[in-house]
């Protein structure tokens, strides 16, 4: 994971980008996606663990944020190419390393390939999963990772735009596996009225996506001074206990 809602025509979009230069106005465009419980819309309001961390960072940096939720692929491309548009919760990968300026980690992650317990699917190597259908989200870090390992959309990857759709696919047997973080998978299972231990089995752990966590990031056109400003604010929150308080609330 730009991972993150509202879209403009070209003229309006350029006008907004011009207005978010922090040197001229203390309002920052912030993009994310529907990725509960990290970031999601509840009764018309964006909430979630990552969202609260981002709001706290902006408050510490004395910057107002216009936070919007979009389909991930749109948010990703917008933030990547824009000047001073923040995106969260985005995973830091080799493929993305030079495409963004990374502020810092805002949420922990642990990725797995999940299956239904009754299938009894267990893999010792990722290559073994290529014989199965895997649910992914378009341009999500999980999908990007699997593609980098030789998996292919339309062959062994079934891409969608919503995470909850993939859980339904798995339950209905339309896919064999689902790549997702442990926290999100358990959350979506409970939201559907299920018990995660009864509907989800971890078939393969993916340490390459689990070592670091989810980030806040800017596209490379963003001034270093703005990146450093938010980086210092995040460091302050982690040092004064504010981050740990939010983590205890949500995780």
């Amino acid at each position: 994971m730009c991972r993150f809602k509202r879209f403009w025509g070209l003229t309006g979009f350029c006008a907004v980008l011009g207005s978010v230069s922090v040197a001229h106005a203390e309002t920052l465009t912030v993009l994310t996606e529907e990725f509960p419980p990290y970031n999601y819309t509840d009764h018309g309001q964006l909430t979630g663990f990552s969202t609260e961390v981002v709001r706290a960072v902006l408050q510490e940096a004395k910057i107002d944020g216009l936070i919007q939720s979009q389909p991930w692929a749109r948010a990703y491309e917008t933030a990547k190419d824009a000047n001073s548009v923040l995106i969260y919760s985005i995973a830091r990968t080799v493929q993305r390393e030079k495409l963004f300026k990374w502020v810092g980690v805002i949420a922990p992650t642990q990725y797995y390939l999940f299956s239904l317990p009754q299938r009894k699917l267990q893999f010792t190597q990722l290559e073994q999963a290529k014989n199965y259908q895997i649910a992914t989200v378009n341009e999500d870090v999980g999908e990007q990772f699997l593609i980098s390992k030789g998996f292919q959309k339309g062959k062994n990857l079934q891409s969608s735009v919503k995470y909850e759709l993939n859980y339904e696919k798995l339950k209905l047997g339309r896919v064999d596996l689902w790549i997702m973080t442990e926290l999100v998978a358990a959350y979506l299972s409970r939201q559907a009225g299920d018990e995660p231990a009864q509907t989800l089995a971890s078939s393969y752990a993916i340490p390459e996506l689990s070592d670091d966590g989810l980030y806040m990031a800017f596209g490379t056109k963003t001034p270093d001074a703005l990146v450093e400003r938010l980086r210092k604010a995040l460091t302050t929150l982690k040092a004064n206990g504010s981050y740990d308080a939010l983590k205890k609330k949500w995780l």
Side-chain angles (χ1 to χ4, degrees), residues 17-251:
L17 290 186
S19 70
V20 298
S21 173
V22 177
H24 296 89
E26 296 293 305
T27 300
L28 190 67
T29 295
V30 184
L31 302 180
T32 191
E33 64 172 341
E34 297 298 309
F35 189 48
Y38 295 106
N39 19 269
Y40 64 100
T41 302
D42 184 26
H43 296 93
Q45 297 294 322
L46 268 168
T47 186
F49 173 54
S50 294
T51 300
E52 290 203 5
V53 172
V54 169
R55 286 198 171 111
V57 168
L58 293 174
Q59 183 177 9
E60 178 67 28
K62 296 180 172 56
I63 297 174
D64 290 331
L66 178 61
I67 304 179
Q68 304 161 25
S69 177
Q70 296 180 351
W72 179 245
R74 180 193 298 175
Y76 180 88
E77 291 301 321
T78 300
K80 177 172 67 70
D81 297 331
N83 177 356
S84 302
V85 172
L86 181 68
I87 185 170
Y88 77 98
S89 307
I90 181 170
R92 187 173 184 172
T93 65
V94 173
Q95 299 95 321
R96 295 173 174 176
E97 182 64 33
K98 295 183 179 180
L99 301 178
F100 293 91
K101 293 184 177 181
W102 303 92
V103 175
V105 175
I106 59 172
T109 57
Q110 176 65 54
Y111 274 85
Y112 291 93
L113 289 178
F114 288 99
S115 62
L116 296 176
Q118 58 267 33
R119 295 289 305 277
K120 301 185 184 302
L121 297 178
Q122 290 293 322
F123 309 120
T124 57
Q125 298 180 11
L126 182 62
E127 190 75 13
Q128 296 170 301
K130 287 185 176 179
N131 296 320
Y132 298 87
Q133 291 295 304
I134 305 174
T136 63
V137 165
N138 187 35
E139 291 299 330
D140 172 77
V141 64
E143 181 178 275
Q144 290 180 341
F145 170 78
L146 292 176
I147 289 174
S148 76
K149 298 299 182 181
F151 292 77
Q152 299 177 37
K153 287 185 183 182
K155 182 179 180 181
N156 42 29
L157 300 183
Q158 290 191 24
S159 186
S160 65
V161 296
K162 291 185 178 181
Y163 294 93
E164 57 267 31
L165 294 180
N166 288 337
Y167 177 63
E168 290 302 316
K169 285 182 182 179
L170 184 69
K171 281 210 309 179
L172 295 172
R174 295 176 181 172
V175 294
D176 305 298
L177 300 164
W178 174 33
I179 185 168
M180 185 43 53
T181 69
E182 184 177 29
L183 183 65
V184 174
Y187 173 86
L188 291 177
S189 174
R190 293 190 181 99
Q191 285 294 105
D194 300 327
E195 175 52 48
Q198 298 176 1
T199 59
L200 295 171
S202 55
S203 296
Y204 184 78
I206 307 176
E208 297 96 325
L209 294 179
S210 308
D211 291 342
D212 209 349
L214 300 177
Y215 278 73
M216 303 166 63
F218 289 98
T220 55
K221 297 177 184 177
T222 304
D224 290 340
L226 175 57
V227 180
E228 186 59 28
R229 185 172 173 181
L230 267 66
R231 188 176 290 145
K232 288 181 178 179
L234 178 59
T235 299
T236 297
L237 292 181
K238 290 183 176 181
N240 66 19
S242 298
Y243 178 83
D244 285 339
L246 288 173
K247 187 175 179 181
K248 184 177 181 181
K249 172 184 174 182
W250 284 94
L251 302 182

